[in-house]
């Protein structure tokens, strides 16, 4: 089981208790200790200091500490790249020297080296080590206790015809809809979002902007136009040109420009948009 004071797969704050030829031993509150190898030791580290480290399994499945930070921690969903294959499963990169093992029993399809796979980092009691599980349905539950504008942590896991499917708070399924996304987004992004609606099926409709607040996209467009004073763009410009300058879709750009024109803040004429003098 994951210990209370020396947590495998997580960031720990531990006290430096002893120096050895192999490195520093770090002690948890319950007296358990773990080695921080010499390659991670700095001259600033002194006996008695408390330092922040990540605990994982080394090549011999022993607990070891590192000052490196992983891309994902225990109990988190992530998007991982397959870097190795065996008869029993796959190895994926999660930012540590030792790759994370994905057993065949935890996969739904055959993978190739270089493939991306979505999964959750889990703990295997039999082997006392971290594993990856890509059978997502085992870990997704119906959302119950969310209100509009609750801030949530999301991981973008797939592009769909409607928008982007997300894992919310490492537990639930949510959706960002294309017509409400006004910035660049891609699979694998970790960010915060706001709950727009809790559906009857236990899934969450999400928004990257707080519901009911002033449209941040309009503010963004206006700020860029103010900085440039004049831009050789209009609502007839190509989606590529608009995205390059503003990082938003053409639909979102047109909405922002039309709103700013109605508010009397900008004008659009002769192939340019500019601040209204």
């Amino acid at each position: 089981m994951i210990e209370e004071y020396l947590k495998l797969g997580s960031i720990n704050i531990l006290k430096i208790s002893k120096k050895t030829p192999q490195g520093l031993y770090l002690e948890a509150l319950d007296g358990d200790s773990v080695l921080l190898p010499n390659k991670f030791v700095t001259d600033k580290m002194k006996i008695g200091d408390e330092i922040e480290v990540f605990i994982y399994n080394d090549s011999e499945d022993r607990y070891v500490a590192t000052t490196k930070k992983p891309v994902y921690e225990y109990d988190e969903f992530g998007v991982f790249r397959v870097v190795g294959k065996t008869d029993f499963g796959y190895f994926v990169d999660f930012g540590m020297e030792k790759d994370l093992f994905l057993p065949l029993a935890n996969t739904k399809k055959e993978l190739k080296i270089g493939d991306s796979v979505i999964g959750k980092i889990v703990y295997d009691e039999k082997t006392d080590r971290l594993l990856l599980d890509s059978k997502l349905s085992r870990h997704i539950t119906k959302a119950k206790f969310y209100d509009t504008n609750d801030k949530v942590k999301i991981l973008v896991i797939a592009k769909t015809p409607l928008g982007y499917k997300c894992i919310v708070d490492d537990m639930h399924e949510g959706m960002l809809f294309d017509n409400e996304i006004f910035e660049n987004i891609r699979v694998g992004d970790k960010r915060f979002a706001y709950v727009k609606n809790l559906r009857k099926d236990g899934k969450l409709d999400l928004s990257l902007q707080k519901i009911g607040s002033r449209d941040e996209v309009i503010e963004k467009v206006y700020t860029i136009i103010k900085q440039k004073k004049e831009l050789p763009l209009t609502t007839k410009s190509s989606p590529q040109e608009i995205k390059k300058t503003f990082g938003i879709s053409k639909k979102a750009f047109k909405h922002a420009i039309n709103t700013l024109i109605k508010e009397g803040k900008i004008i659009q004429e002769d192939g340019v948009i500019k601040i209204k003098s």
Side-chain angles (χ1 to χ4, degrees):
M1 60 179 290
I2 298 287
E3 297 292 335
E4 182 179 354
Y5 296 108
L6 195 63
K7 295 179 180 178
L8 179 66
S10 301
I11 300 295
N12 292 246
I13 297 176
L14 304 175
K15 183 180 288 187
I16 301 172
S17 62
K18 185 170 63 173
K19 185 174 183 179
T20 73
Q22 293 77 36
L24 299 176
Y25 272 91
L26 312 178
E27 190 173 279
L29 288 174
D30 63 351
D32 280 351
S33 61
V34 64
L35 178 69
L36 177 69
N38 277 321
K39 58 186 164 186
F40 303 117
V41 175
T42 68
D43 293 338
K44 292 181 179 180
M45 296 177 181
K46 307 296 181 187
I47 302 296
D49 287 352
E50 289 188 338
I51 61 173
E52 194 176 82
V53 293
F54 178 74
I55 307 296
Y56 71 113
N57 305 105
D58 69 8
S59 57
E60 297 179 26
D61 286 331
R62 299 170 299 192
Y63 283 20
V64 66
T66 174
T67 51
K68 289 179 65 177
K69 300 296 190 291
V71 181
Y72 306 104
E73 297 184 34
Y74 164 68
D75 215 28
E76 286 187 337
F77 281 93
V79 180
F80 303 83
R81 184 171 60 88
V82 178
V83 294
K85 184 176 180 180
T86 74
D87 292 338
F88 308 103
Y90 307 90
F91 288 97
V92 301
D93 179 20
F94 80 125
M96 294 290 102
E97 291 188 352
K98 185 191 174 188
D99 299 317
L100 192 62
F101 186 54
L102 168 60
L104 285 178
N106 289 3
T107 63
K108 294 192 293 185
K109 64 178 183 178
E110 187 175 348
L111 299 167
K112 303 187 298 292
I113 292 176
D115 283 351
S116 291
V117 59
I118 298 158
K120 187 171 189 176
I121 298 178
V122 297
Y123 173 71
D124 182 51
E125 260 188 71
K126 290 181 181 177
T127 59
D128 189 29
R129 61 175 175 163
L130 301 173
L131 299 173
L132 187 66
D133 188 357
S134 65
K135 292 187 175 179
L136 305 188
S137 59
R138 295 171 171 174
H139 308 286
I140 300 294
T141 61
K142 291 183 177 181
K144 294 180 180 178
F145 306 109
Y146 288 90
D147 294 318
T148 300
N149 277 334
D150 278 353
K151 193 175 184 180
V152 293
K153 180 179 75 170
I154 65 168
L155 171 72
V156 182
I157 63 168
K159 178 74 176 79
T160 77
L162 292 175
Y164 287 87
K165 186 185 290 187
C166 305
I167 300 293
V168 182
D169 288 341
D170 290 301
M171 292 182 290
H172 314 301
E173 188 176 317
M175 177 68 75
L176 288 166
F177 293 94
D178 265 339
N179 63 346
E180 297 172 356
I181 298 173
F182 309 122
E183 57 192 271
N184 292 322
I185 192 168
R186 61 183 181 178
V187 173
D189 281 356
K190 289 198 302 183
R191 56 175 69 202
F192 290 101
Y194 298 92
V195 173
K196 182 181 175 186
N197 180 45
L198 172 56
R199 289 159 41 184
K200 290 182 180 179
D201 60 4
K203 297 178 182 179
L204 294 161
D205 294 337
L206 305 167
S207 172
L208 294 176
Q209 291 83 36
K210 209 165 188 177
I211 312 303
S213 63
R214 175 170 170 79
D215 195 330
E216 292 181 16
V217 176
I218 297 173
E219 206 61 56
K220 177 182 180 180
V221 170
Y222 185 52
T223 299
I224 292 173
I225 297 172
K226 276 200 299 184
Q227 288 171 348
K228 303 290 185 182
K229 297 202 169 32
E230 183 175 301
L231 283 166
L233 289 169
T234 70
T235 51
K236 293 182 179 179
S237 298
S238 71
Q240 293 78 16
E241 290 176 302
I242 292 166
K243 191 151 195 173
K244 184 178 179 182
T245 302
F246 294 95
I248 60 176
S249 68
K250 183 168 181 175
K251 182 177 180 179
F253 175 73
K254 288 178 73 173
H255 170 70
I257 294 300
N258 290 334
T259 301
L260 291 169
I261 290 172
K262 286 178 184 177
E263 292 178 354
K265 293 183 175 180
I266 66 170
I267 56 175
Q268 177 179 247
E269 60 182 13
D270 300 326
V272 301
I273 47 175
K274 56 186 178 181
I275 296 296
K276 189 173 183 180
S277 54

